[in-house]
């Protein structure tokens, strides 16, 4: 790594990007990461020193779990001072959840953590993986005045760099798989990489703090017209639930039927956190805008603003893991911690 301008650690967790098609069986299987520069010789031309760590058992990201997020966060913690930036290779299916979780777990980041993946494996002629990986590495190694240019958890996919906790997977078959409707891209890669500097988070001034406690005692209640009282009550009263994400209509609206309001009230009185996010992919929850959300506000349901579903799930896991009081959790849910919320 001598004489290189910057150094980047690649962390391979699994997903299509790290797979090769077996010449005989046509099966997709993870390739040996030590041979990465053989797969992508362009990587040798970089003025960036590359090292890699591959998880022992690479996973399809549909099997992602908070335990793996903790493993990734620990890997970054252990290597934080040795590298200028980090690239996480990850399946695209749950990439937005991982990016959101890591954004909360890594407090005071002053270096880039860029997640990327691909829709087609490296090794397939039309792969999108090579471009995604090469540019993700370039972004993770980019510096300005000797300091990393980006200092947050991002997703790079198909020529765009996004704030990770603003994204969701939008398309299962196009290369352009992610969207971030409530926040502008952080950079776009064309002939040059154009950074949207005013959109980037400021680097943390305090030392990195890595939070490794997550609590997944959460349930999601997605509303639809005609939702049944019996099923809804059993979901809300599930034993051990500490938080419920209520996926509502439009600007945070829901039924005003008495039984529904009474169930929510009972849960809130027991100390359960109820977070209201919208089923719309763009826009925000404004409790009290309509009569159909005023009752939620009065009950103490927390308005989730423009949090994505992915950010809502992981922010709740993170806050519940901090062993805060329900009042502190409610306050933090409405506070912009890592650029996940528009105020
Ligand atoms: N199912 C794969 C995964 O998420 C798809 C991909 O790699 O993009 O792991």
């Amino acid at each position: 790594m001598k004489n290189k301008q910057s150094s980047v650690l690649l962390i391979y967790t699994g997903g299509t990007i790290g797979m090769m098609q077996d010449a005989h069986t046509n099966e997709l299987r993870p390739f040996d990461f030590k041979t990465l520069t053989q797969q992508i010789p362009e990587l040798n031309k970089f003025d960036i020193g590359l090292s890699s760590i591959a998880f022992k058992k690479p996973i399809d990201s549909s099997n992602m779990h908070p335990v793996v997020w903790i493993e990734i966060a620990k890997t970054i913690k252990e290597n934080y001072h040795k590298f200028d930036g980090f690239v996480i290779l990850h399946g695209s299916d749950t990439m937005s959840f991982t990016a959101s979780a890591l954004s909360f777990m890594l407090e005071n980041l002053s270096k880039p953590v860029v997640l990327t993946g691909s829709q087609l494996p490296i090794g397939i002629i039309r792969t999108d993986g090579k471009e995604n990986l090469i540019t993700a590495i370039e972004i993770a190694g980019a510096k300005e005045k000797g300091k990393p240019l980006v200092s947050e958890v991002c997703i790079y996919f198909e020529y765009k760099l996004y704030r990770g906790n603003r994204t969701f997977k939008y398309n299962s078959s196009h290369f352009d798989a992610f969207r971030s409707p409530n926040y502008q891209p952080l950079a776009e890669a064309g002939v040059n990489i154009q950074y949207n500097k005013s959109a980037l988070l400021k680097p943390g001034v305090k030392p990195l703090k890595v939070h490794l406690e997550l609590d997944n005692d959460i349930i999601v209640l997605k509303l639809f017209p005609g939702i049944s009282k019996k099923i809804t009550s059993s979901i809300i009263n599930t034993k051990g639930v500490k938080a419920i994400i209520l996926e509502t209509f439009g600007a945070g609206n829901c039924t005003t039927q008495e039984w529904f309001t009474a169930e929510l009230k009972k849960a809130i009185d027991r100390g359960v956190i109820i977070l209201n996010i919208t089923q719309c992919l763009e826009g925000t929850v404004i409790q009290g805008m309509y009569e159909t959300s005023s009752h939620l506000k009065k009950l103490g349901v927390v308005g989730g603003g423009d949090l994505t579903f992915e950010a809502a799930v992981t922010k709740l896991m993170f806050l519940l893991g901090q062993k805060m009081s329900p009042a502190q959790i409610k306050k933090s849910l409405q506070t912009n911690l890592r650029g996940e919320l528009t105020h």
Side-chain angles (χ1 to χ4, degrees):
M1 224 172 285
K2 270 183 201 145
N3 304 324
K4 297 276 187 184
Q5 263 204 353
S6 47
S7 57
V8 168
L9 179 65
L10 291 179
I11 304 171
Y12 175 55
T13 67
T16 308
I17 191 165
M19 309 236 168
M20 286 278 292
Q21 203 158 30
D22 187 288
H24 304 290
T25 63
N26 278 349
E27 262 173 10
L28 289 178
R29 53 177 170 76
F31 67 79
D32 180 0
F33 247 74
K34 293 190 197 88
T35 65
L36 188 66
T37 45
Q38 281 168 28
Q39 310 295 334
I40 315 179
E42 295 91 326
L43 293 176
N44 289 317
K45 294 191 187 152
F46 265 143
D47 200 11
I48 295 174
L50 276 182
S51 299
S52 65
I53 293 180
F55 279 17
K56 272 199 195 89
K57 255 186 115 193
I59 55 168
D60 184 295
S61 78
S62 301
N63 279 318
M64 193 41 73
H65 191 277
V67 167
V68 187
W69 296 337
I70 292 169
E71 204 181 331
I72 300 172
K74 276 187 186 161
T75 307
I76 291 174
K77 184 180 178 184
E78 281 157 19
N79 290 284
Y80 195 66
H81 296 292
K82 297 185 213 149
F83 295 90
D84 296 307
F86 301 85
V87 171
I88 302 174
L89 298 167
H90 192 290
S92 60
D93 288 350
T94 63
M95 191 182 286
S96 295
F97 288 92
T98 299
S100 301
L102 289 174
S103 76
F104 298 116
M105 295 167 84
L106 304 173
E107 190 177 349
N108 304 323
L109 257 189
S110 58
K111 298 182 179 186
V113 174
V114 186
L115 287 95
T116 195
S118 65
Q119 299 280 53
L120 285 176
I122 281 177
I124 297 244
I125 297 175
R126 290 183 52 253
T127 185
D128 51 331
K130 277 193 186 184
E131 198 287 318
N132 284 348
L133 179 56
I134 289 169
T135 308
I137 293 170
E138 188 165 345
I139 291 167
K143 288 188 182 172
E144 196 173 60
K145 296 186 188 141
K147 298 242 165 81
L149 195 57
V150 177
S151 51
E152 54 181 293
V153 181
C154 333
I155 287 184
Y156 179 76
F157 225 87
E158 192 65 5
Y159 304 110
K160 288 207 177 82
L161 183 74
Y162 300 105
R163 175 165 300 154
N165 59 28
R166 291 293 193 149
T167 62
F168 55 86
K169 188 171 179 183
Y170 165 83
N171 200 312
S172 63
S173 50
H174 282 188
F175 288 150
D176 181 13
F178 289 89
R179 288 287 182 276
S180 166
N182 284 326
Y183 201 73
Q184 56 206 299
L186 303 179
E188 288 197 43
V191 174
N192 296 308
I193 302 176
Q194 296 284 352
Y195 289 92
N196 186 356
K197 288 188 187 159
S198 62
L200 294 168
L201 283 180
K202 300 263 173 301
V205 277
K206 292 187 189 154
L208 176 76
K209 193 167 174 194
V210 181
H211 300 272
L212 299 173
E213 301 79 26
L214 298 168
D215 185 333
N216 60 358
D217 288 337
I218 297 169
I219 216 162
V220 180
L221 180 56
K222 184 166 186 161
L223 299 182
F224 55 88
I227 196 164
S228 99
K229 179 178 174 187
K230 189 176 71 188
I231 308 284
T232 305
S233 305
S234 81
I235 293 173
I236 295 178
N237 293 304
T238 306
K239 208 166 159 247
V241 163
K242 296 183 187 134
I244 300 172
I245 296 175
L246 201 61
E247 276 203 83
T248 56
F249 310 118
N253 309 318
C254 81
T255 174
T256 50
Q257 290 176 92
E258 264 173 37
W259 65 264
F260 186 78
T261 310
E263 287 295 357
L264 292 185
K265 181 170 184 328
K266 272 195 286 167
I268 291 172
D269 290 347
R270 286 199 303 273
V272 175
I273 310 286
I274 303 190
L275 177 63
N276 179 0
I277 62 166
T278 171
Q279 294 178 17
C280 295
L281 299 178
E282 189 168 349
T284 191
V285 164
I286 308 171
Q287 293 192 138
M289 184 170 163
Y290 287 86
E291 189 199 1
T292 46
S293 67
S294 292
H295 60 310
L296 300 178
K297 194 173 178 181
K298 280 186 210 131
L299 285 176
V301 170
V302 183
D306 61 354
L307 279 181
T308 60
F309 175 63
E310 291 79 350
V313 168
T314 54
K315 191 171 182 179
L316 274 171
M317 285 190 188
F318 163 70
L319 294 175
L320 290 171
Q322 305 306 299
K323 308 274 178 286
M324 294 170 160
S325 68
Q328 283 172 312
I329 293 179
K330 284 183 182 181
K331 190 161 175 254
S332 299
L333 280 171
Q334 293 175 92
T335 307
N336 179 25
L337 301 180
R338 310 279 193 268
E340 77 282 6
L341 198 61
T342 306
H343 264 292

